[in-house]
Amino acid sequence: MSLLPHQVEGRAYPRLSSRQVAATLKHRAVMQSESEKPDDLFIDILDREGVVLGGAPLSQIEVDWPIGRQPRKLTLPDGTVFETDDHDAIGQIVGESNSTKLHRLEQFHPRLIAFVLACMVGVWVIYRYGLDILVAFAIWLTPPVLVAQIDKGTMATIDFQMAEASRLDANEQARVEDIFATLLPHIEDVPDGTNFQLLFRDMPGMGPNAFALPGGTVVMTDAFIRDFPDEDVLASVLGHEIGHVVERHGMRQLYRSLTVYILIALMAGDTGPFLEEILLEGNVLLSLSFSRAHERAADEFGVKLADRAGYDPAGLKIFFDEISKKFGEPPRWLSTHPGSKERAADIDGYIEALP
Amino acid sequence: MDSQVKGFEFRGNAKEWFGIWIVNLLLTIITIGIYSAWAKVRTKKYFYNNTYVEGRNFDYHATGKQILIGRLIVIAALVVFNLILAALPVIGLVLLLALLAALPWLLVRAMLFNARMSSFSNVRFNFVGKYGRAFVVFLLAPIGAYLLIAILGGGAAFAAETVGIAVAVILGLIAVVVLFLVFPVIDRMVKAFSINNHKLGVASFEMNVPVGPFVKAAIFASLWVVAVLVIGGVLIGGPLVAMFSDLEAGIEPGPAQMGLIGILYLLFFVAFLPAVFIYQAMIRNVIYNNTTLEGGHSFTSNVSAKSLLWIALSNMVVVICTLGLMLPWAQVRMAKYLADHTGLIPGADMDSFIGEQQEKVSALGDAYSDIEGLDVGLPI
C-alpha cells in the first residue's frame, strides 16, 4: 500500500457539466462503514484549494478502459468525473484488470508481427473450416418442415413467374417418373425430412434444363425430355439433381452467403470502405467457385447413382458433349457451373473409379 | 474574426492505432465475429478521444455487451427474414414492405443511440428527431421524386408519339431540371434532419444553409462530369465509333480495341469520382461555415475537393499494395486532414455546456445500420 503514489494530478468535471477544473486525486485506507471490501481504497477528488469535489470507495468507481495515450477516466457514483494523463500513477492505484492487459497487448511491439501472421492464418482457417462448421450447425438447426416449405414457396414463385404446365403426354411423363423411381431406392444417407418428387414444367426461357430444391423437389423442363429422350441421359441427370438434394447444396449456399455477408459486414469497421467493396466482390467470385465445386460433386453423385441403379453412367457425358456443341462456353471463373467440356472429361474419371 | 477560430486537432498516430487495430482484428477472427462489438467500441473511442478542440476531447461510451446484444438480435432477424423470403414468398413480400416502413425508425434509433453514447467535454450529445419526419425525409421524398421523374420521362416519351416532338422536348427538359433540383433538395433535407435534431447536452445545433448552395454544388459536380466527357469524346470519340462499327461488322477486337475499352473505363472514373468529392467538399464547407451551436458557438471548414480526392485515392492504392496493413495509417491520415481543416469559433466559454439525465436506449438501430453499412455518425 505504501508504494502507491500519494496523489495524481488531473482534471475534474462535475456531473452533467463541461466545467473543467484542475484537480487532484488522493487516496486513503477505507473505513469499515464505507465499503464491504476490507482492502478497498477510498478515493477523494479535490480542487486546487483542497475542497473535496467528490469521493467514493474504489470498488464503486467506474474505471474507463485505457486506450492509447489518451487520458484515463474515473467516474464516481455521483457522476463526478476525474481524468488524468498520468498513466503510471493511476495504473498503480486502480490496479490490473482485463482492460489494462488488453491495453498492453495493443502497444507497438515486434509481437504485433506475430498478430499479423495469426490474422492471416485465422482468415484462412475460417474460410476453409470455420464456415463449413457454422453452416453445418445452421442446417442442423433448420427444421425439416421449413425446408419442405422452401420447396413449396419456390415452386409457387416459379409457376407464377416463368413456368407453364407441362405439355408432355402422360406416357412420356410416366416413363421419366419410372426412371426417377428406379433411382430412389439406391440412394444412401437421405437427410431427414426429405420428400423426393419429380415435377414437369414447360419453361420456354430455360431450354433443356433440370434443377433441384432443398426439400427434394426435382424439376425437369419439357425441352429437356424432348431433346434428350435417352433413358441413360435422363437417369444420370436426375441422379445429378438428387445429388444436390442429398448433399444439401442449396441450403449450404444459402447459409454460406449469409454467413460471409454478416462476417464481412461486422469486420467492415476495421477494413474501411474501399476494402469492404473489394471483399464483397471477391466473396461473390469465391461463392461462384463454391457453386462450381457443388456441380462437380453432384456430377460424381449422379454417375454413381445411375450406375448403381443399372443405367449406363456415360449418359451424363453424352449430355454435356451435346450441350457444349450447342451453346459454347461462358468464361469459367464468372460462372456458377464448370464448363461442359471440362465436366465431360471429369465424368470419364468418375466412371473409371466406379467399383 | 479569424483570430478567434480554434482549430480541431487529431492527436492519434498510425503506430499506436495499428496496435489497437490489429488486436481488434485478431480477436474478432478468433471469436468468429463476437469481439467485433468490442472492436467497434475501441475504434470509435480511439478516434473520438483523439479529436480535440480547445483542449477538450470527444468520448464514446457504448459498451461491447450492448452492441453485441443489438447485433445478435439483428442477425437473428436477418436469418429468419431470409428463410421466410425463401419459404413463404408472399408473406416475405409483406415483410419486405414492413421493413421498408421500419427503415426510418431504425435510422432514428441508430442516430439516437450514437448521439447518446457520444460526448464532448463530459457532456453527452442527444438526438430529438422523430419518426414522422424521418419517414418523409428517408422514404416519402425519395420515392416521390422518383415517381415525379418517371412520370415526366414517361410523359415525354408518350408526347413524342402523340402530340409532337416540341412538347416531348419541353417535358424532357423539365425532367432533367427536376432531376438536378431533386437530389440537392433531398440531400439538404437529410442533412438538416440530422444536424438540427442533434444536441450537445441541452444546446441545439442549427444549420442555416438554404437549398441554393446544395444546387450550386450539384451543378459544379455535373459541370465537371460534362467537361470530362466532352473532352474525352473529342479525344477518343472517332476511334470508338470505328470500333463499334467494326464489332457490328463482326470483326474480332484486337489489343488496340481492348486498350480503348480500358481508356473508356478510365474516362468514366475520371468523370464521376472527382465529381463526388467536389460535391462533398463544397457541401461540408458550406454546412460547417453556417452551422451554430446554442451559446454563440459556430464552426468553420475549408477542405478542398482536390486534397480529399488525393488522400482517398493514394490511401486506397497504399492499402491495397500492403494487403490492408497500412489501413490504420490511411485512416489516421484522413482524420488528421479533416481535423486540420475544421475549426470552432467559441461563443460563451466552453465550461457552460450542461447535460441531461438520459434514458437508456437499445443498440438495435445501431446494429442494423452497421450490418447494412449505413453511416449515421455524429455530423462532425
Side-chain angles (χ1 to χ4, degrees):
Chain A
M1 279 300 180
S2 58
L3 293 172
L4 293 181
H6 291 298
Q7 58 183 56
V8 187
E9 299 301 327
R11 303 168 291 280
Y13 300 92
R15 174 174 181 270
L16 301 176
S17 164
S18 70
R19 194 159 61 82
Q20 198 181 64
V21 286
T24 308
L25 178 150
K26 290 188 172 167
H27 59 86
R28 59 171 168 81
V30 80
M31 279 182 276
Q32 214 167 21
S33 59
E34 287 167 341
S35 173
E36 287 161 8
K37 291 167 73 182
D39 58 346
D40 212 352
L41 280 180
F42 196 93
I43 303 288
D44 273 316
I45 309 293
L46 308 110
D47 70 6
R48 281 283 178 270
E49 274 73 51
V51 179
V52 175
L53 300 170
L58 183 56
S59 59
Q60 292 170 26
I61 291 175
E62 192 193 318
V63 181
D64 257 31
W65 291 26
I67 188 157
R69 294 151 299 136
Q70 287 312 304
R72 295 291 307 263
K73 206 178 247 186
L74 306 186
T75 308
L76 272 49
D78 70 357
T80 307
V81 171
F82 174 79
E83 64 175 38
T84 175
D85 300 313
D86 194 344
H87 280 241
D88 288 341
I90 201 75
Q92 288 176 42
I93 291 171
V94 301
E96 277 278 299
S97 65
N98 287 339
S99 68
T100 56
K101 282 178 201 151
L102 179 67
H103 185 237
R104 227 184 359 259
L105 217 55
E106 292 168 343
Q107 301 307 305
F108 202 75
H109 183 273
R111 168 188 62 230
L112 295 185
I113 298 171
F115 286 5
V116 170
L117 295 175
C119 281
M120 291 173 178
V121 173
V123 167
W124 183 79
V125 169
I126 287 186
Y127 182 75
R128 187 74 183 72
Y129 304 103
L131 280 179
D132 286 341
I133 294 170
L134 282 174
V135 166
F137 180 64
I139 287 180
W140 177 74
L141 276 180
T142 311
V145 187
L146 184 81
V147 181
Q149 187 55 46
I150 289 180
D151 281 25
K152 276 188 208 160
T154 313
M155 279 319 293
T157 313
I158 287 172
D159 282 340
F160 179 71
Q161 285 179 340
M162 49 186 170
E164 305 284 333
S166 172
R167 290 163 207 264
L168 290 176
D169 66 63
N171 287 338
E172 194 65 355
Q173 291 197 9
R175 188 173 75 89
V176 183
E177 265 167 3
D178 273 350
I179 299 173
F180 192 64
T182 315
L183 290 172
L184 292 182
H186 295 277
I187 306 169
E188 296 156 357
D189 304 326
V190 179
D192 289 344
T194 309
N195 178 23
F196 283 109
Q197 56 166 340
L198 177 62
L199 300 174
F200 301 99
R201 290 288 186 276
D202 183 24
M203 299 169 80
M206 285 184 70
N209 217 328
F211 56 90
L213 301 175
T217 307
V218 175
V219 181
M220 199 163 232
T221 64
D222 288 2
F224 192 101
I225 298 159
R226 240 178 277 127
D227 291 358
F228 300 95
D230 182 84
E231 65 170 13
D232 293 325
V233 175
L234 288 168
S236 54
V237 169
L238 289 173
H240 168 99
E241 299 306 337
I242 292 170
H244 281 316
V245 176
V246 171
E247 297 184 357
R248 305 226 138 180
H249 291 160
M251 294 303 282
R252 274 157 74 179
Q253 280 173 31
L254 175 71
Y255 279 126
R256 192 181 170 92
S257 61
L258 256 176
T259 311
V260 173
Y261 176 77
I262 289 168
L263 281 181
I264 292 180
L266 288 181
M267 293 183 201
D270 300 322
T271 58
F274 282 121
L275 229 65
E276 189 191 1
E277 293 302 316
I278 293 170
L279 282 174
L280 286 173
E281 292 299 321
N283 173 43
V284 171
L285 288 181
L286 287 174
S287 75
L288 290 178
S289 98
F290 197 64
S291 156
R292 290 196 296 273
H294 279 171
E295 292 304 325
R296 283 190 212 100
D299 283 349
E300 190 176 355
F301 187 97
V303 165
K304 284 185 183 159
L305 185 63
D307 180 62
R308 274 204 301 273
Y311 296 94
D312 180 2
L316 197 61
K317 197 180 168 211
I318 297 171
F319 171 70
F320 286 122
D321 284 342
E322 281 293 309
I323 287 289
S324 70
K325 255 183 252 161
K326 256 190 188 164
F327 298 103
E329 304 273 354
R332 203 184 332 153
W333 57 282
L334 273 176
S335 173
T336 54
H337 289 60
S340 301
K341 274 185 198 157
E342 185 193 329
R343 286 170 83 174
D346 285 347
I347 289 165
D348 285 337
Y350 306 144
I351 293 174
E352 271 171 36
L354 287 174
Chain B
M1 194 72 179
D2 269 1
S3 60
Q4 295 173 347
V5 178
K6 311 289 181 190
F8 278 69
E9 187 192 346
F10 184 73
R11 294 190 187 166
N13 69 54
K15 239 167 95 175
E16 188 181 64
W17 171 228
F18 179 85
I20 298 165
W21 174 80
I22 196 74
V23 171
N24 275 349
L25 208 57
L26 182 65
L27 292 177
T28 300
I29 289 168
I30 291 176
T31 59
I32 332 175
I34 293 169
Y35 186 79
S36 72
W38 282 265
K40 176 194 164 139
V41 171
R42 285 193 87 61
T43 303
K44 284 218 137 194
K45 213 174 164 67
Y46 187 78
F47 281 85
Y48 278 24
N49 268 187
N50 277 295
T51 305
Y52 282 78
V53 63
E54 277 279 70
R56 295 149 192 262
N57 64 352
F58 293 81
D59 201 357
Y60 187 70
H61 305 269
T63 62
K65 198 173 141 196
Q66 262 177 317
I67 288 178
L68 180 68
I69 291 170
R71 286 183 169 184
L72 287 177
I73 294 172
V74 168
I75 288 170
L78 198 68
V79 170
V80 168
F81 181 72
N82 271 277
L83 287 177
I84 290 178
L85 215 52
L88 304 159
V90 180
I91 295 180
L93 273 179
V94 175
L95 273 181
L96 208 61
L97 285 177
L99 182 68
L100 200 64
L103 185 75
W105 181 79
L106 286 166
L107 286 173
V108 167
R109 300 297 290 178
M111 287 166 143
L112 181 66
F113 178 81
N114 193 63
R116 289 193 176 171
M117 290 305 150
S118 307
S119 72
F120 172 70
S121 191
N122 192 41
V123 173
R124 300 270 183 133
F125 288 85
N126 200 357
F127 185 76
V128 293
K130 294 284 177 290
Y131 173 78
R133 182 70 191 154
F135 187 78
V136 172
V137 169
F138 294 112
L139 273 190
L140 274 192
I143 292 174
Y146 176 78
L147 285 180
L148 183 64
I149 291 166
I151 288 170
L152 282 169
F158 181 70
E161 281 177 11
T162 53
V163 193
I165 203 77
V167 181
V169 169
I170 292 172
L171 277 176
L173 279 178
I174 295 176
V176 171
V177 172
V178 168
L179 188 65
F180 263 91
L181 286 174
V182 147
F183 174 74
V185 167
I186 291 179
D187 191 37
R188 186 186 172 279
M189 283 169 86
V190 170
K191 297 281 193 325
F193 177 74
S194 171
I195 294 170
N196 292 341
N197 286 311
H198 267 94
K199 289 178 149 206
L200 176 57
V202 294
S204 304
F205 288 88
E206 198 186 339
M207 183 185 101
N208 302 302
V209 186
V211 79
F214 281 83
V215 176
K216 191 175 133 198
I219 290 174
F220 268 73
S222 316
L223 283 178
W224 171 270
V225 174
V226 171
V228 171
L229 291 182
V230 166
I231 294 170
V234 170
L235 288 180
I236 63 164
L240 212 56
V241 170
M243 186 185 80
F244 279 116
S245 56
D246 273 6
L247 280 179
E248 249 166 56
I251 300 170
E252 285 286 309
Q257 277 77 20
M258 286 304 182
L260 203 58
I261 290 177
I263 293 173
L264 196 64
Y265 272 110
L266 191 70
L267 191 68
F268 278 105
F269 198 62
V270 173
F272 288 100
L273 197 66
V276 172
F277 282 94
I278 289 172
Y279 182 81
Q280 284 181 346
M282 286 178 78
I283 291 301
R284 183 182 199 268
N285 289 342
V286 75
I287 287 180
Y288 271 80
N289 294 332
N290 294 285
T291 292
T292 56
L293 172 59
E294 219 172 308
H297 310 278
S298 52
F299 303 88
T300 64
S301 164
N302 60 351
V303 297
S304 86
K306 216 170 79 186
S307 310
L308 280 179
L309 179 66
W310 161 242
I311 294 174
L313 275 182
S314 53
N315 272 355
M316 182 178 76
V317 170
V318 170
V319 168
I320 290 174
C321 289
T322 57
L323 294 172
L325 286 180
M326 286 293 270
L327 183 76
W329 169 83
Q331 289 171 325
V332 165
R333 182 168 168 235
M334 185 55 106
K336 272 210 164 90
Y337 176 81
L338 289 177
D340 286 347
H341 291 81
T342 308
L344 169 78
I345 305 170
D349 71 287
M350 303 297 285
D351 279 341
S352 53
F353 292 114
I354 296 173
E356 288 178 299
Q357 190 61 43
Q358 293 172 341
E359 277 169 39
K360 280 245 159 79
V361 50
S362 84
L364 215 60
D366 183 71
Y368 178 77
S369 63
D370 275 351
I371 286 171
E372 293 293 331
L374 305 169
D375 186 19
V376 289
L378 283 185
I380 53 169

